[in-house]
Amino acid sequence: MDMPMSLASGSMLSYLHFTPGDVLWFEGWVPGRGSTLFGACVGLFLLGIAERWAAALVAGVKAATAAGSKKQENCCEPLLRDVLLMRGGTAAPFVLEHSWARFVLHVAQATFHVLFMLTVMTFQISFILSIVIGAGVGEMLYGRFTDAAHGMIEKDEAGEENR
């Protein structure tokens, strides 16, 4: 006969603390001992690195789509009405392949941000520090790709203005 699974229950403290026993995302995920708390912190650290990797991918996709699309040359500034109605060549043309990539990457980044928010709401300092340090290491690893992609976009825009 099947028996229901016994899920661990955690306690939530409404102040910053280091004590184990907080529910992390799901009712069954309660790091109650030091070793399980350490494992959760390593996972959050890696998630912080992965978020910065996703940010570098987003910047790369934006640079690739900006370089691949040529803006229409206008002699005049676009009117506010044209900008609000998305007319007049103020944006790159819609390309389905580029849009799907941007959609998937944006969903991934939004998921990271929601998971980070839920983690910070536990007020567990070790979780928060793991995310922050992981994001810092991820920025060290992947920030140069983000900067290079932004530099490519700025060069492309400067080249268009000089024509």
Side-chain angles (χ1 to χ4, degrees):
M1 175 161 44
D2 290 335
M3 299 297 286
M5 185 170 81
S6 172
L7 296 175
S9 62
S11 60
M12 184 171 170
L13 302 174
S14 61
Y15 52 87
L16 293 173
H17 60 281
F18 278 110
T19 57
D22 291 313
V23 177
L24 182 61
W25 299 331
F26 300 107
E27 189 177 350
W29 293 7
V30 181
R33 296 188 321 261
S35 60
T36 55
L37 184 64
F38 177 76
C41 288
V42 168
L44 291 170
F45 173 79
L46 294 174
L47 206 61
I49 292 174
E51 191 275 330
R52 297 314 307 155
W53 173 71
L57 283 177
V58 167
V61 167
K62 285 183 181 178
T65 57
S69 65
K70 300 295 180 192
K71 293 184 179 180
Q72 296 176 354
E73 292 185 25
N74 286 337
C75 64
C76 309
E77 292 293 318
L79 297 174
L80 179 61
R81 180 190 65 212
D82 292 335
V83 172
L84 293 176
L85 295 176
M86 297 181 198
R87 296 188 300 196
T90 58
F94 179 79
V95 179
L96 186 62
E97 291 83 16
H98 297 170
S99 298
W100 275 111
R102 290 176 64 174
F103 166 78
V104 169
L105 291 172
H106 185 75
V107 166
Q109 270 197 308
T111 303
F112 282 130
H113 294 163
V114 168
L115 291 175
F116 292 157
M117 177 201 58
L118 292 173
T119 302
V120 169
M121 288 174 57
T122 65
F123 294 105
Q124 173 61 270
I125 296 175
S126 55
F127 292 166
I128 296 169
L129 287 177
S130 297
I131 291 171
V132 169
I133 293 170
V137 170
E139 185 62 27
M140 284 179 16
L141 293 172
Y142 302 111
R144 57 198 166 101
F145 297 112
T146 306
D147 293 342
H150 288 301
M152 286 174 37
I153 292 172
E154 290 172 2
K155 283 181 187 175
D156 188 44
E157 288 175 355
E160 299 253 340
E161 289 174 2
N162 292 335
R163 289 183 194 169

